[in-house]
Amino acid sequence: MIELEEVSKAYRTGGRVTVPALHEVNLSIADGEMVALMGESGSGTSTLMNILSCLDMPTAGHYRLDGTDVGRLSKRRLTKLRGRTVGFVFQSFDLIPDVTVLRNVELPMIYTRARVRRARARRALERVGLAGHEKDMPIELFEAQRQKVLIARALINDPSVLLDDEPTGDLDADSSLEIMELFTELNGAGRTVVFATHREETAAYASRIVELSDGRVVSDRKTGRRRPPPTLRAV
Ligand code: ADP
Ligand code: MG
C-alpha cells in the first residue's frame, strides 16, 4: 500500500533558488493496482517515481509505504524496507554490455551468496519470460528483451511493487506492446505496478491513470482495464 499525503518536492539548485516539482500531492495506491502516472515532459512524473522508490525524499508531506512513514526511518531501516518492498527500473542504470544476462540480473544482490543470488536471478528471468537466455550477452538480445532483463533485475528480491519510469520511452510499437503485456501479466499475478509515461497508448494499459500537470494531480481515473486494449494487441 502506497500513501502520499500532501507531498511536495522542490529541488534546490544552489543558493536559495529552488525549482518546485510537486505540489501537495495526495495519492493512495492499493496492493494489486496497475497505475500509470501520466504527464507532459516536466510535469513531475520522474520526481514522483523517485519518491515512490525512496531514492528521493519529499521536501514536505508524508510518504507511507506499507504503513511506515519513510521519512521517519533511519537510513538502514529505509534500505531494508525499500529492498523488500519496491523494485525500480532505472533507465539510467543500463545493462553492462560485457557480462551475461544472468550476471546483469544478479547485480543488485552482490552481497548475497553466489548460489542464492544465481537462483533468484534465474527465477526473475523466468518471470519475465527469458528462461534460457541466462548466458546470452546483452548485445545478442532484441531491445524488448533487454528491457525485460532490466525488469528482471528489479524483480530479483520479489518486491510487492514494481516501478518503471518510462518503460516504453525509446521503444518501437512492437517492443512497447511486449513490455506492457509483461506488466499486465506481472500485475495479474498480484504485483502492484506503477509506471510513468508521456504516451497515452502506454498509459491505456493501466487500470488507473493519474495525470500530473505542473506537479499537481489534475485527474485520477479508472480505465476499467485489466487486459491489453484489443487495438494494440493486433499491432
Ligand atoms: P517529468 O519526469 O514528468 O518530465 P520531472 O519530475 O523530471 O518531470 O521534472 C519536474 C520539474 O522538476 C521540471 O521542472 C524539472 O526541470 C525539475 N527538475 C527535475 N529534476 C531536477 C533536479 N535534479 N534539479 C533541479 N530541477 C529538477
Ligand atoms: Mg521523466
Side-chain angles (χ1 to χ4, degrees), residues 86-108:
V86 298
F88 190 59
V89 181
F90 304 83
Q91 300 301 336
S92 55
F93 180 23
D94 207 344
L95 297 176
I96 297 176
D98 55 357
V99 305
T100 64
V101 161
L102 188 70
R103 281 249 171 224
N104 266 289
V105 175
E106 282 177 34
L107 274 179

Side-chain angles (χ1 to χ4, degrees), residues 131-156:
H133 289 275
E134 292 82 359
K135 291 182 178 161
D136 291 359
M137 299 303 279
I139 195 155
E140 299 176 85
L141 302 178
F142 294 114
E143 188 51 41
Q145 291 176 318
R146 274 201 287 274
Q147 282 298 317
K148 287 179 184 180
V149 177
L150 293 174
I151 295 166
R153 189 166 66 189
L155 291 176
I156 191 155

Side-chain angles (χ1 to χ4, degrees), residues 11 13 19 21 40-47 198:
Y11 291 102
T13 54
V19 178
E40 286 175 17
S41 185
S43 59
T45 55
S46 290
T47 300
H198 302 304

